[in-house]
Amino acid sequence: MLDFETTVRTRQSIRKFLPTPMTESQIQAILADAQHAPSACNTQPWLVHIASGETLERLKARFQKTFNAGRNDADFEFNQEKYKGDYEPRWRNQYSHVFTTCYGIAREDKAGRQVVYDDNIIGYGAPHMAFLFMPAIDGHDVNIASDVGMYSQTFLLSLTARGFGGIPQLALAMFANDVREELGISDDYKLLHGIAFGYPDWDAMQNKHHLGRVPVAESAKLHW
C-alpha cells in the first residue's frame, strides 16, 4: 500500500489496461475505501454500478453502436470549448498530450484520431467499469455532483494506492440510457461519469507520460 503523498502525486489517468481482471475481493476493498468519502449532511448520494465480464462486453457493444449512430444521451451537458481564459490552454494541452504524446498521432491525422475515440468509448481495454449515478433532486445537482466527485477521487486514489489504476471518463456519460437499460437502473438516477479500471499496462506508451499540473500559486491563495 502506497503512502498518501506518493498515492496522490503518482495517480494518473490510465489509457491502456491489461486484460487481467481484478478479483471481487479486490474490487470490494476499493468500494469500502470510497464509501468513506465525505458528503453533505452524510447523505452519501452516490449509486455505483460495476460492470465486468460478459456484462461489460454487452455494454461496450452498445456504446459502439450508439457512438457510430452519432447519439449523445448524456444526462448533463459538457462542452470544453466553453472553458475560456486560463482554462482553455489547459484543455488544449490535454488534447495534445493524449493524441501526440500518448498515441503519437499528428493533429491532421483524422484516421489516427479515430483510434483514440474508439479506445475512449471502450475504456481503453479496462476489464471493469464503474458507473457513478446520482439521484435527481430538484435544485441540488451541483451539491450532489460535488459529493459524487469526492467519492470518485477516493475511488481513484484507492486504486492507485493498491497497485491498480483507473481513468474517470465523461465520455461514458454519453451512454447513460444504454447503461440504465442494461443494468436495470431507474430513470430517477442520472449518470455523472464512469471510471474504467484494472491493472495498468505500464509498458504501453499511453501510460509512460504523466500530464502535469499548473503551479499551486495559480489555483490557491493564502490569506493570513
Side-chain angles (χ1 to χ4, degrees):
M1 185 81 73
L2 299 178
D3 63 87
F4 179 76
E5 182 176 349
T6 303
T7 298
V8 76
R9 297 192 181 201
T10 60
R11 186 214 61 78
Q12 68 182 79
S13 292
I14 302 302
R15 290 188 168 84
K16 183 69 174 179
F17 292 88
L18 297 174
T20 308
M22 294 167 58
T23 65
E24 182 176 349
S25 63
Q26 288 170 332
I27 295 174
Q28 288 288 359
I30 304 299
L31 292 171
D33 287 344
Q35 194 66 22
H36 287 275
S39 60
C41 300
N42 198 33
T43 49
Q44 305 167 61
W46 41 76
L47 176 66
V48 184
H49 283 252
I50 308 290
S52 308
E54 293 181 0
T55 300
L56 182 56
E57 292 308 310
R58 289 196 302 271
L59 278 171
K60 288 180 179 180
R62 293 186 65 152
F63 295 170
Q64 289 173 317
K65 184 177 180 179
T66 296
F67 183 77
N68 291 338
R71 287 196 359 243
N72 181 345
D73 297 328
D75 293 322
F76 303 99
E77 179 189 6
F78 177 78
N79 181 355
Q80 75 277 359
E81 293 186 0
K82 291 185 177 182
Y83 287 69
K84 304 295 185 181
D86 292 340
Y87 311 116
E88 184 171 355
R90 297 174 190 173
W91 65 258
R92 289 192 180 279
N93 180 53
Q94 192 267 350
Y95 275 96
S96 176
H97 169 80
V98 172
F99 287 105
T100 305
T101 306
C102 294
Y103 279 85
I105 296 170
R107 181 180 179 86
E108 63 275 9
D109 184 357
K110 292 184 178 181
R113 292 166 75 88
Q114 187 62 44
V115 171
V116 182
Y117 299 142
D118 290 341
D119 271 359
N120 192 14
I121 64 174
I122 62 168
Y124 302 98
H128 312 282
M129 284 185 186
F131 299 96
L132 282 67
F133 285 85
M134 51 184 275
I137 301 175
D138 288 344
H140 287 275
D141 282 353
V142 171
N143 309 84
I144 299 172
S146 174
D147 291 341
V148 179
M150 289 187 281
Y151 179 99
S152 180
Q153 173 72 334
T154 308
F155 188 102
L156 290 163
L157 291 177
S158 178
L159 285 168
T160 301
R162 294 175 180 274
F164 308 109
I167 177 170
Q169 293 187 264
L170 281 175
L172 297 180
M174 294 193 304
F175 312 111
N177 290 339
D178 289 325
V179 178
R180 272 191 291 264
E181 290 175 8
E182 186 68 39
L183 302 184
I185 301 168
S186 167
D187 289 342
D188 293 334
Y189 285 90
K190 305 303 179 184
L191 180 58
L192 188 62
H193 62 259
I195 298 175
F197 67 98
Y199 287 93
D201 181 353
W202 293 118
D203 291 330
M205 181 172 62
Q206 294 95 317
N207 296 329
K208 291 184 179 297
H209 306 279
H210 191 174
L211 187 62
R213 297 294 185 269
V214 299
V216 171
E218 289 190 28
S219 302
K221 309 297 179 184
L222 302 181
H223 300 270
W224 298 94

